[in-house]
C-alpha cells in the first residue's frame, strides 16, 4: 500500500527480503491504519453523540450544496431564489447559506482528518492512484467521479454519511435503498475501471 | 432527556460549536481507519480490502444499538431524532449514479475532505468535482424536479415497512452485519493467497 511506501532510499536488488529491507530504510514511515472495526465503532459513538446532543446525525454532501448555493446566490441572487433546489439551502434568507450546521461539521472533519494524519505521520503531498495510470489520469478520474457523485447525492438527498450512516442507524427505508443501490452501481462499474486501480 | 438541542438545552450558536467538535471526531476516526486513502477504499470494489464495509457496518451497529438502548432506558426521545426522509425512486436512481461515481473517484464526499486535508491531490480534485456536480444538478433541477420530488414517503422506517417490531429489525441487521463481517474476512484471506506457488529461493 502507498501508506507504507514513500521515499525509499535504496533497495537491494534481487533480495528475497526486499519488502523488509524497503521498510527498514524508509524515511518518515507512516503508522499503520487502525482496525476498520475499531474506527467504525468510534464513528458510531460520534454519530450516537450527535443524536443525543442534536437530535440529528452526521452528513457530508449537504455541506457541498450549501457552498454551491452560496456561490450561485452571490453571483445571481434572483436566479438562486427562483430555483427550488437552491431555495432549499437559502432558507428564509436571514443568514448566509454557509451558516449551516453541516458546513461547520465538515470544517471539523477537515481539522480532525488533518490532526489524525499529522500525529500518525501520514500527511503527504501525493496522488493516490493505481500503478497503471498517470497522476493526471487519476486526477481527471477523481474530478469526474466527484461530479457524478455530486449529481447522485443530490438526487438521493444524501451520501454515504447522511444516508448511509445516519439513515442506516435510524432505520430509514430510503437510506437502506440508497446504500444497496450505491454498492450495486459501484460493483457494476468496477470491472470497467480495473485499469485505474489494479 | 436527550436530544438536548431539541429540548432547548443549548441554542443555535452552541450547536455550531458542537458541529465543529463532532466533525473533528468524525474526521479523526475516518483518517484512523484509512478512509482518506482512495486506493484503500477502491479495494472494496475488487474484494481485496473490505475496510469500507467493516467500518460502515460497525458504525451503523454502534449508533443503532445505542439509540435503541438509550430510548429503552427512557433517556432519549426517539421521536425527536431526525430520520432521513424516503423518496423511493430518486434514492434508487441517485444511489446507482452515486455508486458509479464512487468506483470512479475512489472516495465519497466525507472521505474526500479527509483526503484533501491530508495532501492527497486526488482528494482535492474530487472535492472540486463534487462542487461541479452539485452545480450541474442545481441548474438542471427545474427540469427534473418532478422526478426528484416523486415517491415521497416521509420518515418511513424499516419496522413500518415490514410491519415488524423495532427490536426484531435491529436483530436482523445485527445478524446480517455479523454475516457480512465473516464474509469480508474470508474474501480478504482469499485475496492475500498468492495466485501461483512462490518461486523457490535462489
Amino acid at each position: 500500500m502507498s501508506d507504507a511506501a514513500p521515499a525509499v532510499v535504496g533497495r537491494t536488488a534481487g533480495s528475497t527480503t526486499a519488502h523488509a529491507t524497503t521498510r527498514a530504510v524508509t524515511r518518515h514511515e507512516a503508522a499503520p491504519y487502525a482496525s476498520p472495526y475499531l474506527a467504525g465503532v468510534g464513528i458510531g459513538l460520534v454519530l450516537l453523540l450527535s443524536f443525543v446532543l442534536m437530535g440529528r446525525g452526521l452528513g457530508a454532501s449537504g455541506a457541498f450544496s450549501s457552498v454551491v448555493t452560496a456561490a450561485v446566490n452571490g453571483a445571481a441572487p434572483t436566479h438562486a431564489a427562483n430555483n427550488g433546489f437552491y431555495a432549499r439551502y437559502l432558507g428564509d434568507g436571514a443568514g448566509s447559506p454557509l451558516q449551516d450546521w453541516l458546513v461547520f461539521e465538515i470544517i471539523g472533519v477537515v481539522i480532525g482528518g488533518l490532526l489524525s494524519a499529522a500525529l500518525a505521520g501520514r500527511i503527504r503531498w501525493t496522488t493516490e492512484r493505481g500503478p497503471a495510470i498517470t497522476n493526471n489520469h487519476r486526477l481527471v478520474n477523481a474530478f469526474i467521479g466527484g461530479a457524478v457523485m455530486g449529481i447522485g447525492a443530490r438526487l438521493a438527498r444524501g451520501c454515504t454519511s447522511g444516508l448511509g450512516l445516519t439513515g442506516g442507524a435510524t432505520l430509514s427505508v430510503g437510506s437502506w435503498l440508497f446504500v444497496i443501490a450505491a454498492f450495486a452501481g459501484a460493483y457494476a462499474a468496477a470491472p470497467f475501471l480495473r485499469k485505474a486501480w489494479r | 432527556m436527550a436530544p438536548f438541542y431539541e429540548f432547548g438545552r443549548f441554542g443555535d450558536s452552541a450547536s455550531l460549536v458542537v458541529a465543529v467538535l463532532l466533525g473533528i471526531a468524525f474526521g479523526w476516526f475516518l483518517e484512523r481507519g484509512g478512509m482518506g486513502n482512495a486506493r484503500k477504499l477502491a479495494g472494496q470494489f475488487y474484494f481485496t480490502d473490505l475496510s469500507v464495509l467493516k467500518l460502515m457496518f460497525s458504525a451503523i451497529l454502534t449508533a443503532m444499538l445505542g439509540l435503541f438502548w438509550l430510548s429503552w432506558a427512557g433517556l432519549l426521545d426517539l421521536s425527536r431524532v431526525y430520520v432521513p426522509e424516503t423518496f423511493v425512486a430518486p434514492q434508487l436512481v441517485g444511489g446507482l449514479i452515486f455508486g458509479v461515481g464512487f468506483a470512479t473517484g475512489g472516495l465519497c464526499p466525507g472521505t474526500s475532505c479527509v483526503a484533501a486535508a491530508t495532501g492527497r491531490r486526488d482528494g482535492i480534485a474530487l472535492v472540486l468535482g463534487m462542487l461541479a456536480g452539485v452545480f450541474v444538478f442545481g441548474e438542471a433541477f427545474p427540469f427534473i424536479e418532478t422526478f426528484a420530488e416523486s415517491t415521497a414517503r416521509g420518515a418511513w422506517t424499516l419496522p413500518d415497512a415490514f410491519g415488524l417490531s423495532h427490536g426484531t429489525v435491529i436483530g436482523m441487521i445485527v445478524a446480517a452485519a455479523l454475516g457480512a463481517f465473516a464474509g469480508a474476512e474470508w474474501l480478504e484471506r482469499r485475496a492475500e493467497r498468492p495466485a501461483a506457488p512462490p518461486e523457490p529461493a535462489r
Side-chain angles (χ1 to χ4, degrees), chain A residues 49-187:
Chain A
L49 192 59
S50 183
F51 288 136
V52 167
L53 293 174
M54 294 299 306
R56 63 177 292 173
L58 303 167
S61 65
F64 289 80
S65 306
S66 295
V67 170
V68 170
T69 301
V72 172
N73 190 44
T78 322
H79 175 68
N82 289 333
N83 177 304
F85 172 71
Y86 300 129
R88 227 188 274 162
Y89 293 90
L90 285 172
D92 55 9
S96 158
L98 295 178
Q99 275 176 288
D100 174 73
W101 199 84
L102 276 182
V103 171
F104 280 76
E105 185 234 74
I106 283 295
I107 292 169
V109 167
V110 168
I111 299 169
L114 190 63
L115 273 177
S116 166
L119 291 172
R122 282 194 287 260
I123 293 183
R124 205 155 288 121
W125 182 245
T126 184
T127 305
E128 302 286 355
R129 58 170 172 82
I133 59 168
T134 62
N135 280 353
N136 284 342
H137 187 170
R138 166 65 186 133
L139 294 181
V140 169
N141 279 2
F143 184 87
I144 294 172
V148 172
M149 263 192 296
I151 294 168
R154 269 6 297 162
L155 187 56
R157 296 166 186 251
C159 62
T160 23
S161 301
L163 289 176
L165 299 176
T166 300
T170 52
L171 310 180
S172 153
V173 175
S175 294
W176 283 91
L177 292 177
F178 168 82
V179 170
I180 292 165
F183 277 91
Y187 278 105

Side-chain angles (χ1 to χ4, degrees), chain A residues 1-3 14 16 33-34 36-37 39-56 58-61 64-65 67-68 72 79 83-86 88 100-101 104-106 108-117 119-120 122-131 135 138-139 141-179 181-187 189-191 193-194 197-198, chain B residues 2-6 10 15-16 18-20 22-34 37-40 42-48 50-52 54-60 62-64 66-67 70 76 80-88 90-110 112-114 117-122 124-139 141-142 144-145 147-149 156-159 161 166 169-170 173 181 185 201:
Chain A
M1 286 308 289
S2 47
D3 54 292
T16 47
Y33 289 124
Y37 296 115
V41 169
I43 289 171
L45 291 173
V46 177
L47 180 56
L48 182 60
L49 192 59
S50 183
F51 288 136
V52 167
L53 293 174
M54 294 299 306
R56 63 177 292 173
L58 303 167
S61 65
F64 289 80
S65 306
V67 170
V68 170
V72 172
H79 175 68
N83 177 304
F85 172 71
Y86 300 129
R88 227 188 274 162
D100 174 73
W101 199 84
F104 280 76
E105 185 234 74
I106 283 295
V109 167
V110 168
I111 299 169
L114 190 63
L115 273 177
S116 166
L119 291 172
R122 282 194 287 260
I123 293 183
R124 205 155 288 121
W125 182 245
T126 184
T127 305
E128 302 286 355
R129 58 170 172 82
N135 280 353
R138 166 65 186 133
L139 294 181
N141 279 2
F143 184 87
I144 294 172
V148 172
M149 263 192 296
I151 294 168
R154 269 6 297 162
L155 187 56
R157 296 166 186 251
C159 62
T160 23
S161 301
L163 289 176
L165 299 176
T166 300
T170 52
L171 310 180
S172 153
V173 175
S175 294
W176 283 91
L177 292 177
F178 168 82
V179 170
F183 277 91
Y187 278 105
L193 296 160
R194 217 178 159 77
W197 296 115
R198 311 314 299 164
Chain B
F4 298 130
Y5 175 77
E6 285 289 306
F10 57 89
S15 83
L16 296 180
V18 169
V20 174
L22 288 172
I24 289 174
F26 185 26
W28 171 279
F29 284 116
L30 283 175
E31 204 286 329
R32 288 282 131 168
N37 184 331
R39 285 195 74 190
K40 188 170 171 64
Q44 175 71 39
F45 305 123
Y46 299 96
F47 302 108
T48 54
L50 284 90
S51 297
V52 173
K54 295 183 203 172
L55 181 138
M56 277 190 76
F57 248 140
S58 305
I60 290 172
T62 305
M64 178 184 74
L67 272 185
L70 288 177
L76 176 138
R80 302 293 281 265
V81 171
Y82 175 74
V83 177
E85 286 175 51
T86 294
F87 294 80
V88 177
Q91 278 163 343
L92 282 174
V93 175
L96 282 172
I97 296 172
F98 184 92
V100 171
F102 194 178
T104 309
L107 295 159
C108 64
S112 72
C113 296
V114 175
T118 56
R120 270 56 178 182
R121 279 175 290 221
D122 48 310
I124 296 170
L126 198 132
V127 166
L128 296 174
M130 274 282 302
L131 293 171
V134 171
F135 176 66
V136 167
F137 179 86
E139 292 304 310
F141 187 75
I144 55 171
E145 191 164 1
F147 177 70
E149 310 277 359
W156 195 29
T157 64
L158 294 172
H166 211 89
V169 171
I170 284 178
I173 292 175
F181 292 154
E185 296 299 331

